[in-house]
Amino acid sequence: MADDPMTIDRRAEEGNPDSVGTRATPDAPPAAAASASPWARRLLVAGVVLAAFNLRPAITALGPLLEEVRGALAMNGTVAGLLTSAPALCFAVFGGAAPRLARHWGPAAVVLAGMAAVTAGLALRPLAGGTVWFLASSALALAGIAAGNVLMPVVVKRWFPGRIGPMTGLYSMALSVGTAAAAALTVPAVRALEGDWRLGLGMWALPGALALLVWTPVVRGARARTAAPADAGAGADAGAGGGGPDAGIRITRSVTAWSLGVFFGFQATAAYVVMGWLPQIFRDAGIPAPTAGLLLAVTMGMSIPLSYVLPRIAARLGHQGPLVAVLACCGLGGYAGLWFAPAQGAWAWALLLGISNCAFPLVLTMIGMRARTGAGVARLSAFAQGTGYLIAVPGPLLVGALHQHTGGWHAPLALMAALMTAQLAVGLVAGRDRCVEDGG
């Protein structure tokens, strides 16, 4: 499963540059990358920004247009729920293959292939004449995103070993901007061009095509700068693999590991339900489609500043339970507002849910704090993310089915409130100052 940016940073700080499971041979090792020309490094920065920007529009552009898509393709609520569950499912399934592909082809080449998949999927999706082809093209785009999720932090570490923090911040900000931009601009762009939903979804293939133009010379340059012998890369991989002191950690028997995995799953469920269904909730309450998309953009945009603040606060606390409680209360407040007055307090509910969704950077921080070594963090991260994404798959599907069978949003909101309460309970356990090496 994907390793988070904090895991990558921590490994780099511990002096193990290739412990993320990629060989040094196919792409330039850090030393060669550091010696690249200023033009090549600027191209790399542009590549990182463009790739990160393309990691969420396939998801958030769909929410504001979901009603039009369902009507055009005769898609029932259960299938629409499957569509909103697809990101978590694809991230769980395809993300695990990215490190293996990177060992053979290099992370930059796999990122390039991922951007090609994103571009092709987004370009083909508007051409779909039925539900099956729409789902298939969406899965193609999401498979490319899954590869980027896993390997972009690796690319940052590999080519910017001395600036991992700033580049990771730039990467995170670009991802958040892409998320919010797709939510806010899709419907207005469709109306301005007097098009239909197909144009609104298809236009997000253009940033992917631009990323392809940048990543093609990046990959060629990386191969040209390859200088490290193959046996050096193999040795690094062996050191990361599992013969060290952390090989005996029994992750599956750790209460801390399971609590982090379940917490990751519940927060991911909430995030994908919000991305997939929040605009529709607002539209059903009488809010125009452009405003509903803007409200989703506000919700997603909250992660831009908070993703920098929360990890710093969490790292200073012995127990992260208070932060877990604050985020959960914001989520419960947002759901209550959507239940009682979805239109009247729409902006307040969007802000509350945006704060609640920042449980994502919090759980990544906790993963980094719940193991003592880089290898331990790597195993914990893989377990927590793999478990969490699998848990997140059925949530949006259940929300769609409940909405279809009840004809309203009260039952889905009640489900989300119950899951948020469970997230609070398990997050309090995950927030304890325990390490998986201790068997806790």
Side-chain angles (χ1 to χ4, degrees):
M1 200 54 227
D3 288 329
D4 56 274
M6 293 184 180
T7 301
I8 303 300
D9 283 2
R10 187 168 184 171
R11 289 176 184 167
E13 289 168 2
E14 291 170 357
N16 190 359
D18 282 311
S19 63
V20 290
T22 56
R23 296 188 184 276
T25 353
D27 287 323
S35 63
S37 68
W39 181 88
R41 292 179 66 81
R42 285 193 289 269
L43 189 67
L44 283 167
V45 172
V48 168
V49 171
L50 285 171
F53 183 91
N54 280 281
L55 293 182
R56 291 299 181 270
I59 304 170
T60 55
L62 180 60
L65 296 175
L66 188 57
E67 182 176 308
E68 287 79 2
V69 174
R70 289 179 60 184
L73 301 180
M75 187 184 298
N76 61 38
T78 301
V79 176
L82 175 63
L83 186 60
T84 54
S85 294
L89 179 61
C90 290
F91 293 167
V93 172
F94 296 113
R100 291 192 293 273
L101 293 172
R103 278 195 290 268
H104 292 285
W105 304 100
V110 179
V111 171
L112 174 63
M115 290 296 102
V118 172
T119 304
L122 291 179
L124 292 173
R125 188 161 68 171
L127 304 178
T131 299
V132 173
W133 288 110
F134 189 88
L135 290 173
S137 56
S138 295
L140 176 62
L142 292 171
I145 293 172
N149 284 342
V150 175
L151 296 178
M152 280 306 301
V154 179
V155 169
V156 168
K157 175 196 65 80
R158 180 173 287 248
W159 275 289
F160 302 93
R163 296 182 59 81
I164 292 175
M167 286 303 301
T168 300
L170 184 64
Y171 155 80
S172 300
M173 181 176 294
L175 189 150
S176 297
V177 170
T179 302
L185 301 178
T186 300
V187 173
V190 168
R191 294 190 172 181
L193 297 173
E194 297 183 355
D196 59 12
W197 63 267
R198 298 178 187 273
L199 179 62
L201 293 183
M203 70 179 186
W204 294 105
L206 296 177
L210 182 59
L212 283 176
L213 292 176
V214 174
W215 275 95
T216 299
V218 166
V219 172
R220 290 175 179 171
R223 288 174 175 171
R225 291 193 302 271
T226 297
D231 56 351
D237 283 338
D246 299 289
I249 296 176
R250 297 182 176 180
I251 290 290
T252 57
R253 297 188 181 183
S254 169
V255 174
T256 298
W258 277 107
S259 61
L260 282 168
V262 176
F263 182 76
F264 192 104
F266 285 153
Q267 66 80 28
T269 299
Y272 288 120
V273 167
V274 166
M275 282 190 284
W277 289 110
L278 184 62
Q280 191 62 53
I281 294 174
F282 284 135
R283 291 185 67 176
D284 288 349
I287 295 175
T291 305
L294 184 59
L295 286 164
L296 178 61
V298 169
T299 300
M300 297 295 102
M302 289 297 296
S303 64
I304 297 175
L306 291 182
S307 62
Y308 288 98
V309 176
L310 276 178
R312 289 177 170 84
I313 298 175
R316 295 172 182 170
L317 297 177
H319 193 308
Q320 286 73 44
L323 291 179
V324 170
V326 169
L327 298 181
C329 288
C330 289
L332 291 172
Y335 295 143
L338 292 175
W339 180 297
F340 292 108
Q344 292 84 345
W347 293 100
W349 318 143
L351 287 171
L352 285 174
L353 291 174
I355 296 172
S356 179
N357 277 353
C358 289
F360 178 68
L362 176 60
V363 70
L364 293 185
T365 305
M366 290 195 291
I367 288 172
M369 297 174 67
R370 294 297 173 263
R372 291 195 176 93
T373 65
V377 170
R379 295 188 61 190
L380 178 58
S381 176
F383 177 81
Q385 293 194 45
T387 301
Y389 279 127
L390 289 176
I391 290 173
V393 169
L397 179 62
L398 289 174
V399 167
L402 284 173
H403 174 57
Q404 179 181 1
H405 290 298
T406 64
W409 290 106
H410 282 179
L413 288 171
L415 171 65
M416 295 310 300
L419 293 178
M420 185 62 68
T421 303
Q423 176 181 318
L424 170 60
V426 75
L428 293 175
V429 177
R432 298 177 304 168
D433 188 10
R434 302 284 182 88
C435 291
V436 292
E437 289 88 349
D438 301 330

